[in-house]
């Protein structure tokens, strides 16, 4: 159904209730289940902010693995000087969450739109638990959602926001994957290149260490929650002699054959890039939802094949899935539901059951196979649907956003037009 007046109060009521719980959790008014994840803000982010305020990037800290514009997110609590650093950060995360909700509600109104995307965001964020507000990824996701929604009419805005987002956390560069051939691509990509180059020059000139993150990212290994880590979770049951240690800011497997598995994971990411390149070259039908569908698929592929799948990465996927599902033409419904389910499992493995994941016991194995299995299934389904909708040309697709929807015949039965996928 399209966005309606009834959707707004219901979605807002559920959003307000769940976000009130999240705020009470991160501010420790209530004690959430599992590990305390707020120390990343109160200790690590706060420490980085002190370094940044001194006029340099944290270039000697291997846990600083973010592009230079991430400094704005880390310094943002200064906008609320009447609050302590951590509380200010949580409030800003909450406001970014509210901003995404507002954008999706507005986008869900009108022909060819629906409310499903609003509910993906409303439900998906609290399923991640306190991690949703204890990392700056919700801020990056807000930029990405704004970019895709603005890009429906303004390719230059899409390009500018994608470039800004990429210098916040790299992955928003993939928002440009599905721009329509011709003028839209030229405008979006040229604007993105110009904005990225300008911002990068400003950051490099403003403070030393702006590019230090490149080396730290290169040296990361196989994180315990990643797809490749399943090899070692299982192998530990049969006497693998490796170990789990804090390495480059996350718990990673270290020991025999870890470099090989890390290299294979990089190979999977390269293969994903190759598939996207082939898709881009062969795609012929670019509909209204193609930019969002392609962005969702691309980020899903790279997230799943990464050497690191940190819990907060799920926010990216939830945000992009929400944009897809406000567009009636999109056929990413099932991949989006799989991502939402994977987000709920993610909270069960971190922070609630992380001790089981680290020890590779039966519960940890079950959670990791379930979460990563859901992501793999979402990848396959999203890629197949994107290919069918754009490479296997569908007559009339893209001209009419309602074309793929069932229509009611004169006899009162639901029929699907021949042009529907």
């Amino acid at each position: 159904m399209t966005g309606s007046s009834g959707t707004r109060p219901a979605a807002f009521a559920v959003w307000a209730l769940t976000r009130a719980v999240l705020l009470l959790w991160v501010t420790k008014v209530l004690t959430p289940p599992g590990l305390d994840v707020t120390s990343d803000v109160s200790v690590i982010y706060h420490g980085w902010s002190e370094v940044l305020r001194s006029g340099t990037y944290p270039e000697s800290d291997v846990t600083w693995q973010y592009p230079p514009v991430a400094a704005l997110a880390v310094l943002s609590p200064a906008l609320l000087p009447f609050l302590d650093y951590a509380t200010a950060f949580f409030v800003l995360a909450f406001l970014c969450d509210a901003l995404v909700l507002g954008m999706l509600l507005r986008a869900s109104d009108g022909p060819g739109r629906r409310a499903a995307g609003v509910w993906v965001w409303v439900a998906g964020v609290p399923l991640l638990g306190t991690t949703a507000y204890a990392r700056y990824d919700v801020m990056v996701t807000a930029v990405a959602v704004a970019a895709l929604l603005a890009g429906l009419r303004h390719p230059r805005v899409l390009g500018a926001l994608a470039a800004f987002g990429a210098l916040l956390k790299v992955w928003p560069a993939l928002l440009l994957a599905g721009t329509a051939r011709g003028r839209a691509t030229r405008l979006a990509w040229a604007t993105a290149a110009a904005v990225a180059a300008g911002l990068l020059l400003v950051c490099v000139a403003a403070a030393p260490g702006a590019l230090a993150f490149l080396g730290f990212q290169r040296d990361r290994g196989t994180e315990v929650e990643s797809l490749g880590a399943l090899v070692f979770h299982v192998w530990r049951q049969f006497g693998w002699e490796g170990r789990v240690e804090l390495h480059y800011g996350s718990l990673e497997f270290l020991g025999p054959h870890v470099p090989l598995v890390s290299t294979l994971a990089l190979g999977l990411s390269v293969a994903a890039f190759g598939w996207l390149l082939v898709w881009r070259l062969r795609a012929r039908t670019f509909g209204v939802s193609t930019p969002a569908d392609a962005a969702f698929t691309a980020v899903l592929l790279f997230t799943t094949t990464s050497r690191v799948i940190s819990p907060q990465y799920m926010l990216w996927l939830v945000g992009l899935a929400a944009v897809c599902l406000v567009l009636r033409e999109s056929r990413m419904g099932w991949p989006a539901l799989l991502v939402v389910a994977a987000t709920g499992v993610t909270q069960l493995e971190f922070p609630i059951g992380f001790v089981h994941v680290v020890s590779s016991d039966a519960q940890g194995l079950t959670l990791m196979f379930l979460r990563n299995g859901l992501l793999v299934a979402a990848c396959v389904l999203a890629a197949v649907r994107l290919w069918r909708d754009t490479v296997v040309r569908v007559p009339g697709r893209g001209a009419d956003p309602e074309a793929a929807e069932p229509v009611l015949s004169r006899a009162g039965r639901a029929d699907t037009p021949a042009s529907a996928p």
Side-chain angles (χ1 to χ4, degrees), residues 46-67:
H46 192 193
W48 286 341
S49 72
E50 295 298 321
V51 175
L52 288 164
R53 289 171 65 182
S54 72
T56 183
Y57 284 88
E59 55 185 330
S60 61
D61 185 348
V62 297
T63 62
W64 174 260
Q65 299 166 8
Y66 309 108

Side-chain angles (χ1 to χ4, degrees), residues 25 40 45 50 60 64 72 104 112 160 225 237 241 245 250 255 287 295 299 328 345 364 372 394 410:
W25 277 353
D40 272 28
Y45 285 16
E50 295 298 321
S60 61
W64 174 260
L72 296 180
L104 292 170
E225 297 164 275
Q237 315 307 311
E241 297 178 353
E245 288 186 5
S250 64
V299 175
R328 183 175 294 277
V345 178
N372 290 344
V394 179
R410 292 183 181 180

Side-chain angles (χ1 to χ4, degrees), residues 17 31 39 61 132 139 141 150 170 184 202 220 231 261 266 269 375 421:
L17 178 61
T31 302
S39 61
D61 185 348
M139 302 175 183
T141 303
V170 181
V202 169
R220 296 195 74 169
V231 173
V261 171
L266 286 174
S269 294
L375 288 179

Side-chain angles (χ1 to χ4, degrees), residues 110-146:
R113 306 299 176 88
R114 56 185 175 182
V118 176
W119 288 107
V120 167
W121 183 254
V122 169
V125 173
L127 283 176
L128 192 60
T130 49
T131 305
Y133 282 3
R135 304 289 188 272
Y136 80 90
D137 295 79
V138 68
M139 302 175 183
V140 186
T141 303
V143 173
V145 170

